[in-house]
């Protein structure tokens, strides 16, 4: 992989990467690579909300709380002046990530939206029917 693609332009001091894609598309793997390039721990995804002492325990009724937590972590990182912040969520609809973009722009960050389209298989065993519903409601981003 060409890591030079993830280096900031000399005139740019702060960047947000918004990584979106269906479950199993490589979002988390790409987020880890970018985080390593920037030596940042400011990488957040709603799935992290479900990581507990017993491992990953997804509870659909808490999905709204998970996304609120993710956005809160994001805003705190930007407010603290982090050089690079990464958000990695499915975000099948535009409204599910544009508030991240707006906050980042308001805080003076460059924003890069990356759509993962590979199919590696979901590490969280998301049912095929659920992924098909996400695919059907997918809204392309032309930014």
């Amino acid at each position: 992989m060409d890591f030079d693609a993830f280096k900031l332009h000399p005139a740019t001091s702060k960047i947000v990467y918004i990584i979106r894609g269906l479950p199993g598309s490589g979002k988390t793997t790409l987020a880890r690579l970018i985080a390593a390039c920037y030596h940042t721990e400011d990488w957040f995804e709603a799935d992290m909300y479900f990581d507990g002492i017993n491992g990953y325990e997804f509870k659909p009724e808490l999905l709204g709380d998970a996304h609120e937590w993710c956005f809160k972590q994001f805003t705190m990182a930007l407010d603290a002046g982090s050089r690079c912040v990464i958000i990695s969520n499915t975000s099948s609809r535009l409204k599910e990530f544009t508030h991240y973009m707006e906050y980042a722009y308001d805080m003076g960050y460059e924003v890069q939206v990356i759509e993962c389209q590979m199919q590696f298989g979901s590490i969280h065993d998301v049912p095929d029917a659920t992924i098909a519903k996400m695919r059907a409601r997918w809204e392309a981003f032309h930014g």
Side-chain angles (χ1 to χ4, degrees):
M1 174 171 250
D2 179 13
F3 289 104
D4 288 338
F6 298 112
K7 292 184 180 169
L8 285 172
H9 184 277
T12 305
S13 60
K14 300 182 291 186
I15 190 164
V16 165
Y17 286 98
I18 298 173
I19 304 171
R20 63 189 294 243
L22 296 174
S25 63
K27 298 180 304 293
T28 299
T29 300
L30 180 57
R32 281 190 184 119
L33 288 170
I34 295 171
C37 285
Y38 282 98
H39 306 287
T40 185
E41 294 181 13
D42 292 323
W43 156 42
F44 311 104
E45 49 188 48
D47 274 339
M48 291 173 174
Y49 185 81
F50 300 105
D51 285 332
I53 58 172
N54 297 323
Y56 182 81
E57 296 180 54
F58 180 74
K59 296 179 181 172
E61 67 275 13
L62 297 179
L63 193 54
D65 293 342
H67 281 286
E68 285 180 27
W69 172 87
C70 189
F71 188 69
K72 178 72 172 169
Q73 301 308 305
F74 171 78
T75 60
M76 289 190 319
L78 268 62
D79 292 347
S82 179
R83 182 170 172 255
C84 175
V85 181
I86 305 157
I87 294 298
S88 174
N89 287 316
T90 302
S91 301
S92 59
R93 296 183 176 169
L94 300 178
K95 69 178 182 179
E96 295 171 349
F97 70 93
T98 52
H99 59 297
Y100 287 96
M101 293 177 64
E102 291 168 0
Y103 196 89
Y105 287 138
D106 287 347
M107 296 295 291
Y109 281 75
E110 177 183 341
V111 176
Q112 292 291 319
V113 177
I114 302 170
E115 293 184 3
C116 292
Q117 299 176 355
M118 299 300 292
Q119 295 178 0
F120 298 109
S122 171
I123 62 171
H124 298 304
D125 298 320
V126 178
D128 289 341
T130 302
I131 294 173
K133 287 179 186 175
M134 292 176 183
R135 184 177 290 114
R137 70 172 181 243
W138 187 268
E139 294 177 350
F141 175 71
H142 307 284

